[in-house]
Amino acid sequence: MKKLFFVISMMLMSVSTFAQQGTCVAGAHASFLLENNKNIGIGALVGYEVIDNLRGVAEFDYYLKKDYVSGWEADLNAEYLFKLADGRFTIYPLVGVNVFGQKVEILGVSETDSKVGLNIGGGIEFKLMPSLALKCEYNYKTQYDGASFLKAGVVIPF
């Protein structure tokens, strides 16, 4: 039993030590709802490369009011990074979970709703310099009979 505990302890310490070597990113983007009322939003993200080529990303977006509807979303995604051209280009598929909320307000009366769903998509990053990259991403979200989103912005690795 002591050997098993020792082996598990060593494995956990090696995983946490390895995880500390990852790259952090932060960024901002514009988000475009490609269906329904074709709304525009703004958002921010933070991410951490947990192990080589696997990054966890948290995002938040707010969609501006259009046709009496505004919205917000919070995403937790996993991205598998394929680094090309000496790391200058990165392409990635992504999967994750998401909460999407809407607020409808007509003549001073409002109603809100939110649903949990799944994300699937992909993106590309182009590194302009070591501390700045452009990012473009497509997401399909399963809430409210499904919707497609396109995001474009900047990412700062640190």
Side-chain angles (χ1 to χ4, degrees), residues 8 14 19 23 50 56 68 71 91 110 123 129 149 154:
I8 291 172
S14 67
T23 302
V50 180
Y68 309 106
I91 60 172
S110 66
M129 57 183 86
F149 295 79
V154 296

Side-chain angles (χ1 to χ4, degrees), residues 29-34 39-46 57-64 69-77 94 96-103 113-120 137-144 146-152:
H29 56 261
S31 188
F32 307 95
L33 175 59
L34 300 176
N39 207 347
I40 297 173
I42 56 172
L45 66 94
V46 293
V57 177
E59 295 185 27
F60 183 81
D61 293 290
Y62 176 76
Y63 293 91
L64 306 172
V69 179
S70 62
W72 61 269
E73 68 173 317
D75 299 342
L76 286 175
N77 296 325
L94 69 86
V97 294
N98 150 302
V99 178
F100 191 85
Q102 293 183 11
K103 180 179 179 182
D113 184 35
S114 62
K115 291 187 178 184
V116 175
L118 301 175
N119 291 334
I120 189 166
E137 183 176 285
Y138 169 81
N139 287 281
Y140 179 79
K141 301 178 187 310
T142 60
Q143 299 96 322
Y144 303 106
S148 294
F149 295 79
L150 186 62
K151 297 178 181 184

